[in-house]
Every structure is written in C-alpha cells, then in structure tokens.
Amino acid sequence: MAAPTNALYQPALLRCLHRGYTRKDLTADVLAGILVGVVALPLSMGLAIASGATPEQGLYVAIIGGIVVSLFGGSRVQIGGPAGAFVGICAAAAADPHIGLFGLSIATFLAGGMILAMGLMRLGKAITFIPTPVVIGFTTGIAVTIASTQLAPMLGISAASHEHFTERIAYIRQHAAAIHWQPIIVCLITVIIILGMRWWKPLLPGAIIAVIAVTIASFSLGWTAPGGPLISIGTIPDTPPLPHLPGMYQGDGWSLSAFWDKLTNSGLDWEHIGILAATIAVLGAIESLLSAVVADGMSGDRHDSNSELIGQGIANLVVPFFGVLPTTGVLARTSTNIRAGARSPVAGIVHSLAVLAILVACAPLVRHIPLACLAGVLLVVCWHMAELRHWPHILRTKRSDAFLLPLATVLTIFTSLSIAVFSCVILAMFFFVKRMADTIQVERRAADSGADEENSAKLPPGVEVYEVRGPFFFGAATLIRDIDGMVGSKPRALILRLRNVPFIDVTAAFSLRELHESCAKRGAELLLSDCHTRPLMDLDRHGILALLGEERVFGSYEDALAHATQVSNQMAELSRIRTATRNTTVT
C-alpha cells in the first residue's frame, strides 16, 4: 500500500475503501475479526478485573473502543481495546478514594482530548522518540505489575485493591493460610493449554479454548459453586453497552443534576486526576504507535501516525461514557488480526461486534469463569509482554542503555509509570547529549606545528588554525573556551574551520561571541572558513555574521588563510615600523 500523504487526517478505512474493497477482502476481514473477537473476550475481562473495574466494563471498552479506533484510526490492521499497559495506573486510581472509577473516567476523557491534540499538532513522529531500552524497561515493569495483581486469584485469595507492588506481596504473605491448591491447578492448566495451542495450532484461539475447557471442568467438579474453593467472575449483564457516567444515568432517564453534584461534591483530587490524564495520554500514544509500527512490519503497510493519534483521541473521548477504562492499540490482538488475514479496519469493527454478540448471547455462562483461569490468561500475556528476549542484547550494548533498561523496570514496579517514563527519558536525553558532546573534536594547527596538512606552505607566524568536527551545540560550547585557552600569547589571526559542522545552536553562537571579544582584546582577527549553507544560516540568524563582518567569513580555507597571511604581514610590517621609529628616537 502506498505511503500516507501529507494530509493532516486520513483514516485508514477511507484509504482502504478508496483503493477498492472487494468481496474477497470482506470475507477475510470477517473471519479475522471473529477470531480476534474470541481472543479479546477473556483478555478484556481479565484486564478490567486487574484494573479494579468490572468484567463487563472491559468488554464495553473492547466493543466501543475497538469500533471507534477502526473507524477513525490511521492503521489498517490496528485493534483497539483495554491494554495491559494501563493496569497499574488504573488499579491505583480505582483504589484511591479521591479518584475512583468516576475520577478515572474523567481522566480518560481528558487524556482523549490530549491525544487528539497531539494528532492535530502532528506530534505522531515525536511520540516515538523514546529509546528502546526505556520502552522495553517499562514494558517489563508493567508485565511484573500485572502479574502481581494476579497472584491473589491464582492462589484463591480474596483480592483487595492495593496501589503498590510491595503492598500486594505483603497482602499475599499475610493471607498465606487462605491459599487453596485448586486455583493453582486451574491457573497452571490454563497456562499449559494456551502455550500448547500456540505450539500446536497457532491460529486457533488458545485463550478461549483454555477458558471454556477449564470453566467446564471446574463447574463439573463443583469448584465454582457457592462456597467452593474457586472465586468466579460473577454476574455479567447481557445488555449492550449504554452511554453513561457514574451518577449520570439513573433508572429510565438522564440526570445531569445528579452527575453535576457528583462532579462537584465527591471530593475528587483534581491535581492527581490531571497527572493521571497526562500519564494515560502519553502512555496510550506510545503504546498505540509502537503497536502500529510493529504491525507495519508484519503486514507491509504504512500507518499514518497523526491520523492514528486522532483516532485514539476520539476513542478515549467516547469510551468513558461506556466503560471508564482507557483504550489504545494493543499489539497481541493486532498481531492476531494480521496472522488471521485481516486486510482493512473492517476486521477491527467485526472484532468488536463479535465481542458484543458473545456478551449478549453468553453472559449467563460467563459468570462461571474462575478468576484463577483469567489469571492464567493474563500471566501468559505478561510473559510475552515482558520482552525478556531483548534483555541480553541490550545489556551487552552501551553502558547507558544497559543502565536505563533495569532502571525503567525498577521505577515502573516500585514507583509509578509516569515517574519511570519521564525520569528515564530525561536521563536518556542527558546520555545522548553527552555522547554527542564526546564526538566533538577540536584540532589545533599553529605556526610552530609545522606545515599544514592540506597546504605544504608553512603557516605564517601569529596565524593559528582550529578545526571543529561535529555538531556545534550547547553540549560542546565549552570547547570554544578551550580554544581561547589554547591561543598563543600574540596571535594575529585565528581561523576557525567549520567544514565538518552540520549546525550551530544559540549557545555555541554565544561562545563564538566570547571568542571574538577575546581575540579583539588580543588585537587579533577571528576568521571563519568552510561554512556550509545550514551553519551559515545559523550564523546569520544568531547575529554572528553582523558581528564579525561578512568579509571575515569565507567559503574556503584557502581564502581564509590568504586573508590571515595578509593580516599577519600587515601587522608584522606595522610592528617593524614601530620598532624602527623607537630606535631612531632613542638614537
């Protein structure tokens, strides 16, 4: 498929329909969508429970979010829905009495507006400027966080909402006496079936097969009966999702006054809701675009990153009215969609309709699914999400990357995702600036250093040449001060060669001003040579051309050296005349 145009917004669905959509494409999309819908069912419920929400809210997000992302997104095969990346922050928000699910739905709505603004401002490419070690680090941390939320259901312990990883582990230790062996068996069998199906028949929905088989076995043994050792999901409504917010839809009608009272009198922590919204926006944008990039590699397509952000923003503006949890592009379901033969966003729409059909038709049966079974499904997701196969390669690379990877993981697990991402991105920028500054080199050639390498003629006395190699930016601005310290005691002209300088920023320009002033105090001229177009424009914009005078900026080193030789000879002649005058006066 052709690359996206430079249009601000071009949803993938219109691109696919514009190129010609055949009955064969529709058949492939319907079959792929049904398969992905079956796969999404247990994942959506499990992620919702782990996030502190109800199972049906996860299904509502998969239905509404999946449809909206497919309608308005910029990727041909992206599948939207609840994501594991949000579990930690959503669970913490749901457990916070000053935020709760109501505050989480508001934060999701605000995050949708932020993501939409990112797309309209064409920030799609900028969002992906996060180093791979940081992305893999916090992805591994998220996987560990999700796994920690599944320990209690796996062990048969009635789970309590805890914000931090250490609190969850402490809770498990305190209730170790309540551990049952049946939930552990159920979880292990679920994992074995899923992994076995991936090895035997990768295209079959191993997760739903495992859920059905384990649920039937558990129900037959009476383990999910009231008072049994397994905790089941519980009742799920068999009605389609209706638009509402907590306190907004009551009985048979809307109650905006009740919603306003809840909004103003519920003691919401608006500062933390704002931080939560920004975190969801950044994480959702990163997650969706990374998923789209991987999908491009698998499908041969090219997504439109700005259109994808616009679609994700619209989805998160709509989803809070149905399921409170945020939505984003999810790699596991997207890759399943591609392997199943999807050809357009129609497959994503069919996936959502399939989830809706299963919800309406099978809700009475879903309540028997053991939480330990869903824990097994999520543990498999966590294992693949952790990206552990990339750790050895990254740890063998540069020291800074090897440092960022475990740091991002540890911060994600023990603090929060927002702290981990922002801290590690800032550190990555610092390491990048340091590496760039380390690549800058300054080489000195003076009259006492012998012949110039490019010109066999010896440099005239009092003429010094310095060559800068690399980007001339704030990280290397101190090199100019180093040049000032290396200049001889009686220079007549100083040539600064810039042939290997791709650009000059404002900090480096200020350093050039200081060097010019220092040369003026010494009675020497500062000359610039070998300036390319971009550095020359930078010099003009920063006022250096006006300061030095265009006659002191040369396109070639030879012209600069000829001017410096002339200046040196004139100064030498002037010095000789002054000396002769003093001698005559003394005589």
Side-chain angles (χ1 to χ4, degrees):
M1 182 178 292
T5 66
N6 291 325
L8 174 61
Y9 180 54
Q10 188 181 36
L13 181 61
L14 291 182
R15 286 195 287 125
C16 292
L17 296 178
H18 179 71
R19 69 168 186 175
Y21 191 72
T22 65
R23 180 179 299 179
K24 187 176 181 180
D25 294 331
L26 177 62
T27 302
D29 284 336
V30 169
L31 294 176
I34 293 174
L35 176 62
V36 178
V38 172
V39 171
L41 182 75
L43 290 178
S44 301
M45 291 189 296
L47 291 172
I49 295 171
S51 300
T54 59
E56 64 269 20
Q57 287 175 327
L59 297 177
Y60 294 165
V61 173
I63 295 169
I64 303 301
I67 289 177
V68 176
V69 167
S70 297
L71 284 175
F72 300 105
S75 173
R76 182 167 58 91
V77 291
Q78 183 87 283
I79 298 294
F86 295 123
V87 166
I89 55 178
C90 289
D96 190 334
H98 299 292
I99 298 179
L101 292 179
F102 181 63
L104 177 58
S105 64
I106 295 174
T108 300
F109 182 83
L110 295 176
M114 295 178 188
I115 297 174
L116 178 61
M118 292 179 194
L120 294 176
M121 292 188 293
R122 306 180 70 87
L123 297 179
K125 296 295 183 182
I127 293 297
T128 58
F129 293 161
I130 297 180
T132 298
V134 176
V135 174
I136 294 178
F138 74 68
T139 302
T140 303
I142 291 169
V144 174
T145 300
I146 299 173
S148 69
T149 65
Q150 300 307 300
L151 293 178
M154 181 186 72
L155 300 174
I157 301 173
S158 297
S161 297
H162 294 98
E163 180 177 355
H164 298 293
F165 174 83
T166 53
E167 293 176 347
R168 300 186 192 105
I169 301 302
Y171 179 82
I172 297 297
R173 295 179 61 184
Q174 292 171 3
H175 296 79
I179 294 176
H180 298 282
W181 61 268
Q182 293 94 335
I184 300 176
I185 295 298
V186 166
C187 183
L188 290 177
I189 292 177
T190 302
V191 171
I192 291 172
I193 293 176
I194 294 174
L195 296 181
M197 291 300 298
R198 288 192 177 185
W199 173 76
W200 181 51
K201 293 288 185 181
L203 289 181
L204 293 180
I208 198 68
I209 292 173
V211 168
I212 294 174
V214 171
T215 300
I216 293 175
S218 301
F219 181 77
S220 301
L221 294 172
W223 290 355
T224 58
L230 291 186
I231 304 171
S232 59
I233 289 179
T235 304
I236 293 181
D238 58 357
T239 57
L242 297 174
H244 71 282
L245 280 174
M248 186 177 182
Y249 189 81
Q250 295 183 345
D252 298 328
W254 297 89
S255 179
L256 292 178
S257 60
F259 169 73
W260 180 254
D261 290 340
K262 188 175 182 64
L263 188 66
T264 55
N265 300 321
S266 57
L268 293 175
D269 187 341
W270 288 102
E271 180 179 355
H272 283 84
I273 288 177
I275 296 174
L276 177 63
T279 304
I280 292 174
V282 173
L283 182 59
I286 294 172
E287 185 82 3
S288 63
L289 292 183
L290 288 178
S291 175
V293 169
V294 175
D296 287 351
M298 297 178 64
S299 64
D301 187 39
R302 288 185 61 190
H303 76 282
D304 185 327
S305 57
N306 295 314
S307 297
E308 180 64 19
L309 287 182
I310 291 174
Q312 296 290 340
I314 296 173
N316 282 285
L317 287 172
V318 174
V319 160
F321 293 93
F322 297 88
V324 308
L325 299 176
T327 184
T328 186
V330 279
L331 182 57
R333 276 154 276 176
T334 298
S335 59
T336 302
N337 191 39
I338 297 170
R339 288 196 296 266
R343 301 185 181 182
S344 78
V346 173
I349 298 174
V350 173
H351 132 270
S352 297
L353 297 178
V355 175
L356 175 61
I358 297 172
L359 170 66
V360 173
C362 304
L365 303 177
V366 171
R367 67 185 181 92
H368 295 290
I369 298 176
L371 291 181
C373 180
L374 290 182
V377 174
L378 290 184
L379 288 177
V380 174
V381 172
C382 292
W383 174 257
H384 292 284
M385 184 180 181
E387 302 281 5
L388 295 178
R389 67 185 184 277
H390 296 302
W391 275 63
H393 172 70
I394 295 176
L395 293 177
R396 288 194 300 266
T397 57
K398 293 181 179 180
R399 191 174 303 174
S400 59
D401 293 336
F403 173 74
L404 287 173
L405 177 61
L407 178 64
T409 302
V410 171
L411 289 177
T412 301
I413 295 172
F414 292 102
T415 59
S416 67
L417 191 61
S418 56
I419 293 176
V421 173
F422 291 119
S423 300
C424 291
V425 167
I426 291 174
L427 276 176
M429 293 172 61
F430 170 78
F431 289 139
F432 172 76
V433 170
K434 185 178 183 303
R435 283 200 298 267
M436 291 294 291
D438 291 342
T439 63
I440 308 301
Q441 296 179 350
V442 174
E443 183 178 349
R444 179 193 185 197
R445 298 191 184 101
D448 57 358
S449 64
D452 182 30
E453 294 178 1
E454 296 183 13
N455 299 277
S456 58
K458 204 171 184 180
L459 291 175
V463 176
E464 299 187 10
V465 179
Y466 296 85
E467 180 166 0
V468 181
R469 293 189 177 93
F472 207 175
F473 71 118
F474 64 91
T478 56
L479 292 176
I480 293 296
R481 300 185 182 93
D482 296 338
I483 292 175
D484 191 24
M486 290 187 292
V487 173
S489 59
K490 296 181 179 180
R492 297 171 183 170
L494 189 152
I495 301 176
L496 201 61
R497 302 194 67 179
L498 304 176
R499 58 178 174 174
N500 294 307
V501 174
F503 66 87
I504 300 173
D505 75 354
V506 65
T507 306
F510 270 98
S511 298
L512 286 175
R513 287 176 179 272
E514 294 176 1
L515 182 61
H516 169 70
E517 293 172 0
S518 177
C519 288
K521 292 178 182 178
R522 290 186 173 102
E525 285 193 15
L526 175 61
L527 310 176
L528 305 181
S529 74
D530 304 286
C531 293
H532 298 296
T533 302
R534 170 64 188 276
L536 198 61
M537 293 172 60
D538 293 336
L539 291 172
D540 185 31
R541 184 169 59 252
H542 299 315
I544 301 301
L545 284 182
L547 179 67
L548 297 181
E550 294 186 6
E551 68 277 6
R552 293 183 177 86
V553 179
F554 301 89
S556 69
Y557 171 66
E558 291 76 13
D559 293 340
L561 184 60
H563 181 84
T565 302
Q566 182 181 1
V567 170
S568 177
N569 292 337
Q570 290 175 351
M571 289 186 176
E573 179 64 21
L574 181 59
S575 178
R576 187 187 64 79
I577 293 173
R578 289 176 178 173
T579 302
T581 302
R582 285 197 301 269
N583 292 336
T584 303
T585 303
V586 172
T587 303

